[in-house]
Amino acid sequence: MATITISAEEETFSSISNNFIDYYMNAANGDFVKLYLYLARLCSAGRPISVSDIADHLNCTEKDVCRGIKYWIRQDVLKLSYNKEGEVNGIVICSLSKPERISDESSLEEALSLEGGLKKKEAAAPAEDSPVDGPSGKEAPKKTAPTPDKINSVLADTQFCNLKSEARAYCDRELTKRDIDSLIYIYDNLKLSFDLIEYLLEYCASIKKTNFSYIEKVAINWYNNEITTRSEAEAFTAMYYSLYTKILKELGITSRMPAPVERKFIDHWTRELGFTEPIILEACRRAISSKPNSVTFNYVNGILESWYSSNVRSFADINTLDDNHRRSRNEKKSSSRTSAGSQLSTSSSDLRDIEQLYLDEVRTNS
C-alpha cells in the first residue's frame, strides 16, 4: 500500500501530546480517550463548562465523565486544581513524558511475555493454587555486536539459515542487519532451541509484534525464567493471559486490555502478596458487590492488603475472618439494643410528662 500524508484545510487545532498517543491512549477505554480529546478541545477554547455539558456533548452520563476523569487522574494524565477554600475549580491536563514502565510495545501481550515470571517447574505445569513467583534470577548474557567471523560462522549453520527464513516469513519483510544481530544473539548467546525460537517467532507474529527489539525482549524473559521448551513457553503465556483477562472480566471490564498501573497491581498481588488466582478473584467479586458502579483496582488492593495483614492464605482463612466479623457485628448490635432498652426505661417518666403536657393542651383548646 502506498504511503499517505495527513493534512488539514483549517488551522484550528487542539494540541495533543505525542506521549499520550504513544504511551497512554492504546491501554485506555475508548470512551476515556474521547473524554481526554474533548477536554483538550475545551482547553484550547479556554471557556468554562460543567460536567453535565461535557456529558451531553459526549452522549454519556455525568457518572461516566467522572469515572473517566478519575481514570486519567490515576494515570497522572489529569489533575484537579483547587481554590483558596480547598474547593475543586478546574481540571489540569498534565505534561506527559514517557513512563518508566511503558515502552512502545506496551500492551497486554508484552505484559504476558515481558513482565512477571514463573519458575521453570511452575511454567511447565501451573497448578491452580500455586502463586506466581518472581523471575528466577538467571541473568541473560550481555549482548555485544557479533564479529564478522561470528556472523560468517552462524550464517553457515543450516538451522540458523532456516530460522532466518522463517523470521523473514513471519515478519513479512526482509531482515535488516540489526534484525539478524538480534536473531544471532537469541540463537548463539541465549542458546534457545530451534523449536523454541520457532515458537517465539510464531507467537510474536500472532500478536502482531514483529519488531525484533520486542522479539529479543521476549526471548530474554523466557531465558530468565528458564523456559527451554515450546510447551513451557505456551503454558507461560497462557497462564498470564488467563490471569489478566479473568481479573478484568471479574471487574466487568471486557472492552480493553489492562493499563500499566493495573498490571502493576496484579503483579503486586501475585508476586509480593503471594495470592493465588482464586483468592484474587474472590477479592474482585467482593469489591464489585460493595461498589458495583465505581470499583477500582485500588479498592481491590485494599481488600487483599487487609487479607495479607490477617495472614489469609486460603478460603478457610477468609471464612474465619467473615465469622469473626459477623460475631463482632452481632455483639455490637446486641450491646446497642441493651443500651437503648436501658435508656428507654430510665426516661419513661420523661415520656409520661410529655404525654401529660400534650393531653393538658388538648383539654385547654377544647
Side-chain angles (χ1 to χ4, degrees), residues 275-331:
F275 283 121
T276 61
E277 178 184 300
I279 297 295
I280 294 173
L281 295 180
E282 176 64 18
C284 292
R285 284 189 284 270
R286 293 184 177 219
I288 282 289
S289 178
S290 298
K291 293 179 173 289
N293 297 318
S294 59
V295 67
T296 64
F297 270 75
N298 196 46
Y299 187 78
V300 178
N301 186 65
I303 295 174
L304 290 170
E305 289 280 3
S306 175
W307 286 355
Y308 180 79
S309 299
S310 301
N311 295 317
V312 167
R313 285 296 175 269
S314 66
F315 278 95
D317 295 333
I318 295 175
N319 291 335
T320 299
L321 278 183
D322 289 344
D323 290 341
N324 292 339
H325 178 69
R326 278 192 293 269
R327 191 178 302 112
S328 175
R329 187 173 56 190
N330 290 336
E331 288 174 355

Side-chain angles (χ1 to χ4, degrees), residues 170-173 179 201 204-205 208-212 214-215:
Y170 278 119
C171 296
D172 194 25
R173 67 171 189 277
D179 293 340
L201 296 169
C204 291
K208 304 187 187 310
K209 298 290 184 181
T210 56
N211 184 306
F212 254 89
Y214 180 84
I215 294 172

Side-chain angles (χ1 to χ4, degrees), residues 34 148 151 226 237 358:
K34 288 199 302 184
I151 293 174
E226 302 181 48
T237 54
Y358 171 75

Side-chain angles (χ1 to χ4, degrees), residues 73-216:
I73 289 175
R74 290 197 302 270
Q75 305 301 316
D76 295 323
V77 171
L78 301 178
K79 64 181 179 181
L80 300 177
S81 62
Y82 301 85
N83 59 24
K84 293 180 179 179
E85 288 71 35
E87 300 169 332
V88 176
N89 65 355
I91 298 171
V92 178
I93 298 177
C94 302
S95 297
L96 301 178
S97 57
K98 179 178 178 180
E100 292 181 2
R101 292 191 51 162
I102 308 177
S103 68
D104 56 352
E105 291 91 14
S106 62
S107 66
L108 176 60
E109 291 81 10
E110 181 178 18
L112 306 183
S113 300
L114 304 185
E115 297 183 3
L118 294 172
K119 290 184 178 178
K120 182 177 179 180
K121 182 184 294 184
E122 293 170 332
E128 184 177 354
D129 57 351
S130 297
V132 179
D133 292 327
S136 64
K138 181 180 178 182
E139 291 188 11
K142 186 177 180 180
K143 182 181 179 181
T144 57
T147 64
D149 288 342
K150 173 59 70 176
I151 293 174
N152 292 332
S153 172
V154 175
L155 290 177
D157 186 317
T158 303
Q159 275 199 336
F160 182 82
C161 290
N162 290 337
L163 284 174
K164 190 174 71 166
S165 297
E166 289 199 35
R168 187 165 53 241
Y170 278 119
C171 296
D172 194 25
R173 67 171 189 277
E174 289 299 321
L175 302 184
T176 65
K177 181 182 182 304
R178 181 176 294 181
D179 293 340
I180 294 173
D181 286 350
S182 286
L183 192 57
I184 290 174
Y185 173 70
I186 294 168
Y187 179 77
D188 192 63
N189 295 76
L190 299 183
K191 298 190 182 303
L192 301 190
S193 68
F194 178 89
D195 189 47
L196 186 56
I197 298 176
E198 193 174 44
Y199 175 66
L200 170 68
L201 296 169
E202 176 189 325
Y203 166 72
C204 291
S206 71
I207 60 174
K208 304 187 187 310
K209 298 290 184 181
T210 56
N211 184 306
F212 254 89
S213 64
Y214 180 84
I215 294 172
E216 183 181 311

Side-chain angles (χ1 to χ4, degrees), residues 21-88:
I21 297 171
D22 292 341
Y23 306 117
Y24 293 87
M25 182 178 72
N26 65 329
N29 179 300
D31 290 334
F32 293 169
V33 174
K34 288 199 302 184
L35 171 64
Y36 178 86
L37 295 177
Y38 189 52
L39 292 177
R41 168 71 181 94
L42 294 173
C43 180
S44 66
R47 61 183 178 85
I49 194 169
S50 67
V51 172
S52 61
D53 290 337
I54 296 174
D56 289 342
H57 183 83
L58 297 178
N59 194 27
C60 64
T61 67
E62 292 182 27
K63 284 187 177 180
D64 292 332
V65 173
C66 293
R67 191 177 298 115
I69 291 172
K70 288 178 182 178
Y71 171 82
W72 289 125
I73 289 175
R74 290 197 302 270
Q75 305 301 316
D76 295 323
V77 171
L78 301 178
K79 64 181 179 181
L80 300 177
S81 62
Y82 301 85
N83 59 24
K84 293 180 179 179
E85 288 71 35
E87 300 169 332
V88 176

